[in-house]
Amino acid sequence: MASVYTATVVKDVRIRKGLTRNDMLDRMPNSETSLSRLESGAMVPTLSIFDDLKNALDFHIDAMICPHLDNQPMEVYAFRHLLITALDRNDIEDAESLIEEIESISTFDTPVNRQFLLSQKSRLLEKKGQAFDVVMPLVYEVLQQTFEHLNENSPKDTVLIFEEPELFHTMARAYARMGKLSNAIRILDEVQKELLRLPIADRHKDKQIVQVLLSLAEYYLQSKNYSKVIDTCDLGCEISATRNQGLHMPDFKFKKALAIAAIDPNKTSAYRPLIQQAYFGYILLNQIDAAETVKVTAKTQLNITFKTYGVESLAHKPRRKVPYARGEVIACNHVGEMIKPLREKMGLSLNALSWGICDKATLQRIESDKIASAHVHLVEPIMQRLGRYVHYYCNFFLTKEDYEGIKERDEIHRLLVTRKYEIAEEKLNKLRKSRKYKAKTNLQFIKRADIGIFQRKNPKHPDTPSMIVDALSITCPKFNEKDIETYPLTHDESILINMLAIYYKQTGDLERAANIYKKLLDNLNRRYEDEQEKARMYASVAINYSSCLGQMGKIRDALYVAEDAIEFECDRDRLTRLASLYYNKAHCHLRMDEKEKSVPYFAVSYYGSMMFENYGQAKNAGITSKNVKEHLGIIFD
């Protein structure tokens, strides 16, 4: 989490209080320079500054900082995430047990933490179907802890902090249940604007905003404001596809189709493909009831039928929604203190863990919490080598420069994934001018992005392996592909190794490519106790490995790899790579001369790719369509 988050909160609270910066300086005369730098996000705040701010603003110190930053024991962070996950997947019993457990933690008894807990309680009551007059008093009680002057017009252009977006979302859903759609829409429209503005952790923000947009689209649909439905669904699809692994993508596609049909029932060519994509998207996620609802609604309300190619007969396993395994939570008070026991558990020396990231002395200082600002370019790759997802344990400040760096790297990565190479190159050229991107992991990021673009343009260029090994040598100086499964890899190292295997696969050295893929997959499965970190590479490696095995004639092995990855991705609602995995599965059945069995898998692959055609998967849909026409004589409509 960044100092810019605190900067925004301080400024917002000051404005809420009706205070100018001069008013603040009158109340804290010894902090004139600090206040200016703090509000700009240029300085990492100190406790003494917080004390001055607390007195000047008459606002509790805990509300000045992100709830992940107040040096709470690590189990607090774990329980927060577990509770959110339980409620996201509608696991009522787990949520109730977690709330009881959280309430027993004495260190959780701070104003911001209490707001979090009560916020989740209100979500729980709503999911249990409690009446409006039960849910709303709790929502109002919780909001009043940080939101002053709460009334029937709130939030009304007020910047939102902490749990306030989630609480107002709950309030809006309660209004909608009462039939007060205009109230619900007004609140959610303001909430989504605030979520787009808030500098909170991207993944958390984007998950929230997708869910807010989904509710907003539904309420616009109910109120027959169809143009707003289309705009909201377009934004929802953009964020879902590029930031959230396709979360709720079929929902947005279906609602948009209904809105287009309502505006012009004769515009079948515009909304029919959306309906098909929604149907097959639900099939990909094993949401059979939702898929059936799409099909029935299309027929009864829009008089549309479409071929399902037998997908309703697929042997789907029972639908599961499972949380990511997080791994053991170390009893400690900060991320640095957590690193040492994890390092020792993995049998890593200080040198082995820090190599290419920082020097040994710096790692020792991080482990002993003697670095006031644990820069993300240090802590993130260190935690990745320990198989952990750093943002899950994020109780350290980032500098403004680091925060902006995260945003830039994430954006470049998304551009590469969606094959927007020219824009990615422009951003890379700006980033490489920074002094911080001249060495170590930052330089390695630049090199791996450059290689990714180069490899797409020159898939069989003989210089590619040496370029990859050169980039790997920054953090892995004695890299040997025979030992891949033994390395504690960072995310960028894993990507580079995957690129190396891709090169050998493209140049026909399938045995060598398969060996690299197998070792890399073994590494991910063995090392990452934290599955959220594992998931960042798992599907990509599985797709490539399965395809490679298929080309080698090891069809059964290829099928098993694809099926394992399908189960993992589907159970965790990761939609974006499922179409490619289903293509591999379909192709295996085709190679085994099971043509009829392959058809439904090809169908979900084709329409699943079409769902993301604007986000880098149009080529995949074209490949699927071509193969199905050539080998099966089928033309997908």
Side-chain angles (χ1 to χ4, degrees):
M1 192 54 61
S3 55
V4 289
Y5 182 94
T6 303
T8 301
V9 173
V10 169
K11 186 175 180 180
D12 292 347
V13 172
R14 175 172 64 75
I15 293 171
R16 281 190 183 190
K17 294 281 187 177
L19 298 171
T20 66
R21 186 172 288 181
N22 285 334
D23 294 332
M24 289 287 289
L25 294 177
D26 289 340
R27 299 183 181 198
M28 43 189 303
N30 297 322
S31 302
E32 179 174 351
T33 303
S34 298
L35 178 62
S36 175
R37 296 183 64 219
L38 183 66
E39 286 201 356
S40 70
M43 84 172 278
V44 175
T46 63
L47 288 178
S48 62
I49 292 296
F50 276 132
D51 285 339
D52 285 347
L53 289 168
K54 175 184 174 182
N55 295 329
L57 292 172
D58 189 27
F59 206 72
H60 196 283
I61 187 171
D62 288 339
M64 293 292 180
I65 58 177
C66 171
H68 296 271
L69 295 175
D70 46 5
N71 274 335
Q72 300 171 105
M74 279 297 164
E75 66 265 23
V76 170
Y77 306 111
F79 282 128
R80 288 176 66 96
H81 282 272
L82 289 170
L83 178 55
I84 290 170
T85 303
L87 288 169
D88 284 346
R89 69 178 196 271
N90 297 314
D91 193 331
I92 304 301
E93 289 185 8
D94 266 11
E96 289 176 329
S97 298
L98 283 163
I99 285 173
E100 287 183 14
E101 204 156 357
I102 289 171
E103 286 178 324
S104 68
I105 301 174
S106 60
T107 53
F108 211 82
D109 191 28
T110 65
V112 172
N113 279 337
R114 283 200 301 274
Q115 187 187 58
F116 165 78
L117 184 58
L118 292 174
S119 171
Q120 303 310 311
K121 278 188 174 181
S122 69
R123 286 183 69 197
L124 178 62
L125 289 175
E126 184 198 10
K127 287 179 179 292
K128 292 174 72 173
Q130 292 292 326
F132 178 85
D133 58 357
V134 175
V135 176
M136 289 300 283
L138 182 57
V139 171
Y140 269 89
E141 176 191 345
V142 184
L143 276 171
Q144 286 170 340
Q145 295 197 37
T146 55
F147 195 101
E148 295 180 343
H149 312 302
L150 183 66
N151 57 51
E152 67 276 5
N153 296 317
S154 300
K156 195 175 174 77
D157 300 324
T158 304
V159 289
L160 302 178
I161 57 177
F162 307 126
E163 306 304 320
E164 291 172 357
E166 184 65 63
L167 287 160
F168 277 113
H169 190 185
T170 301
M171 181 187 291
R173 289 195 298 263
Y175 274 126
R177 283 170 55 197
M178 295 179 65
K180 297 183 178 181
L181 289 177
S182 60
N183 295 50
I185 288 170
R186 176 187 60 78
I187 290 170
L188 289 181
D189 188 51
E190 295 182 30
V191 169
Q192 65 101 359
K193 291 175 183 175
E194 281 302 301
L195 284 173
L196 286 171
R197 183 193 66 83
L198 275 176
I200 59 178
D202 280 344
R203 290 166 183 82
H204 178 57
K205 176 185 75 174
D206 294 330
K207 189 173 184 180
Q208 277 189 308
I209 195 170
V210 163
Q211 292 166 342
V212 167
L213 290 170
L214 184 63
S215 295
L216 195 54
E218 175 60 30
Y219 303 152
Y220 277 136
L221 194 61
Q222 291 179 28
S223 61
K224 300 183 180 180
N225 191 338
Y226 300 122
S227 62
K228 284 288 190 181
V229 175
I230 294 169
D231 291 343
T232 304
C233 287
D234 283 343
L235 179 58
C237 285
E238 172 74 24
I239 295 173
S240 175
T242 60
R243 303 289 307 184
N244 250 311
Q245 298 299 321
L247 181 67
H248 295 307
M249 194 76 162
D251 301 309
F252 287 121
K253 293 283 186 177
F254 188 45
K255 291 183 192 305
K256 181 178 178 179
L258 294 176
I260 294 172
I263 293 171
D264 186 355
N266 296 318
K267 206 171 182 180
T268 312
S269 61
Y271 60 80
R272 192 172 187 273
L274 298 174
I275 289 172
Q276 289 175 298
Q277 290 168 25
Y279 175 81
F280 286 99
Y282 286 127
I283 293 293
L284 278 171
L285 288 170
N286 201 8
Q287 297 179 13
I288 309 305
D289 291 343
E292 185 64 22
T293 298
V294 170
K295 187 170 70 171
V296 171
T297 303
K299 183 176 181 180
T300 57
Q301 293 185 20
L302 306 177
N303 197 30
I304 283 180
T305 58
F306 52 87
K307 291 181 181 179
T308 61
Y309 302 98
V311 296
E312 61 273 13
S313 65
L314 293 178
H316 290 286
K317 291 184 178 180
R319 169 69 177 160
R320 301 192 310 160
K321 290 189 76 174
V322 298
Y324 287 103
R326 300 291 187 178
E328 178 187 1
V329 178
I330 306 297
C332 57
N333 291 314
H334 57 82
V335 173
E337 190 179 339
M338 182 179 182
I339 289 172
K340 184 175 181 179
L342 288 174
R343 174 175 62 78
E344 291 176 342
K345 180 181 177 182
M346 291 183 66
L348 296 173
S349 66
L350 286 162
N351 283 330
L353 182 56
S354 64
W355 188 270
I357 298 172
C358 60
D359 56 45
K360 176 181 174 181
T362 299
L363 178 55
Q364 286 178 313
R365 291 172 64 209
I366 291 173
E367 288 187 348
S368 59
D369 198 31
K370 292 180 179 178
I371 295 182
S373 173
H375 297 293
V376 69
H377 69 275
L378 302 182
V379 175
E380 186 168 37
I382 286 170
M383 290 293 283
Q384 287 171 357
R385 282 185 173 173
L386 296 171
R388 300 296 175 123
Y389 180 66
V390 67
H391 297 286
Y392 179 55
Y393 310 99
C394 188
N395 68 337
F396 55 88
F397 282 110
L398 310 180
T399 64
K400 184 179 182 180
E401 188 175 4
D402 279 336
Y403 180 79
E404 294 300 326
I406 289 175
K407 289 170 62 178
E408 284 297 313
R409 290 196 298 274
D410 279 356
E411 179 62 19
I412 290 168
H413 181 72
R414 289 198 303 274
L415 289 167
L416 293 174
V417 169
T418 54
R419 302 178 185 180
K420 298 177 180 177
Y421 301 120
E422 289 185 5
I423 304 174
E425 282 187 292
E426 289 177 11
K427 290 187 173 291
L428 273 170
N429 287 333
K430 290 180 181 178
L431 205 61
R432 72 174 88 247
K433 293 176 183 177
S434 168
R435 181 176 56 83
K436 282 195 172 184
Y437 283 82
K438 304 293 185 184
K440 299 189 177 180
T441 55
N442 283 342
L443 175 61
Q444 188 176 69
F445 170 81
I446 295 284
K447 290 197 172 201
R448 75 94 165 161
D450 283 339
I451 295 167
I453 296 170
F454 179 83
Q455 195 169 27
R456 287 289 185 180
K457 294 178 179 178
N458 310 278
K460 298 181 181 180
H461 198 286
D463 290 345
T464 301
S466 61
M467 292 169 64
I468 293 172
V469 172
D470 175 62
L472 279 168
S473 67
I474 295 171
T475 56
C476 206
K478 297 180 181 179
F479 172 75
N480 186 330
E481 63 188 65
K482 295 179 181 179
D483 300 324
I484 289 169
E485 74 273 24
T486 67
Y487 294 138
L489 299 174
T490 67
H491 184 58
D492 282 338
E493 288 169 343
S494 297
I495 291 175
L496 285 163
I497 292 169
N498 191 41
M499 287 178 175
L500 188 62
I502 288 171
Y503 171 80
Y504 291 126
K505 178 171 173 282
Q506 290 173 332
T507 54
D509 195 345
L510 299 178
E511 191 72 39
R512 190 172 184 179
N515 284 334
I516 293 174
Y517 286 134
K518 182 181 184 305
K519 291 176 184 296
L520 183 53
L521 204 60
D522 287 347
N523 188 304
L524 295 173
N525 284 326
R526 176 182 54 79
R527 188 167 51 88
Y528 280 118
E529 291 185 63
D530 187 332
E531 289 181 341
Q532 191 157 347
E533 188 64 31
K534 165 187 168 180
R536 297 176 69 191
M537 280 297 296
Y538 180 65
S540 295
V541 178
I543 290 166
N544 292 330
Y545 184 32
S546 174
S547 174
C548 189
L549 289 171
Q551 290 183 39
M552 295 170 69
K554 299 180 179 181
I555 310 302
R556 289 288 177 187
D557 290 341
L559 184 61
Y560 295 149
V561 170
E563 287 179 336
D564 284 347
I566 286 170
E567 184 175 350
F568 180 90
E569 298 289 297
C570 179
D571 288 345
R572 291 159 183 82
D573 291 327
R574 295 175 61 88
L575 182 56
T576 53
R577 307 313 299 271
L578 278 171
S580 296
L581 288 164
Y582 266 96
Y583 175 82
N584 285 10
K585 182 171 182 176
H587 207 265
C588 286
H589 286 298
L590 183 63
R591 292 282 302 277
M592 292 187 292
D593 204 27
E594 298 173 344
K595 292 185 177 181
E596 286 189 18
K597 196 170 184 178
S598 72
V599 172
Y601 297 120
F602 275 126
V604 291
S605 174
Y606 173 77
Y607 290 105
S609 294
M610 288 300 293
M611 190 182 308
F612 297 97
E613 63 178 326
N614 295 326
Y615 309 102
Q617 292 196 24
K619 184 178 179 181
N620 297 352
I623 292 171
T624 305
S625 179
K626 179 182 178 181
N627 279 332
V628 168
K629 181 180 179 180
E630 180 181 342
H631 296 289
L632 301 172
I634 294 173
I635 299 175
F636 290 131
D637 56 5

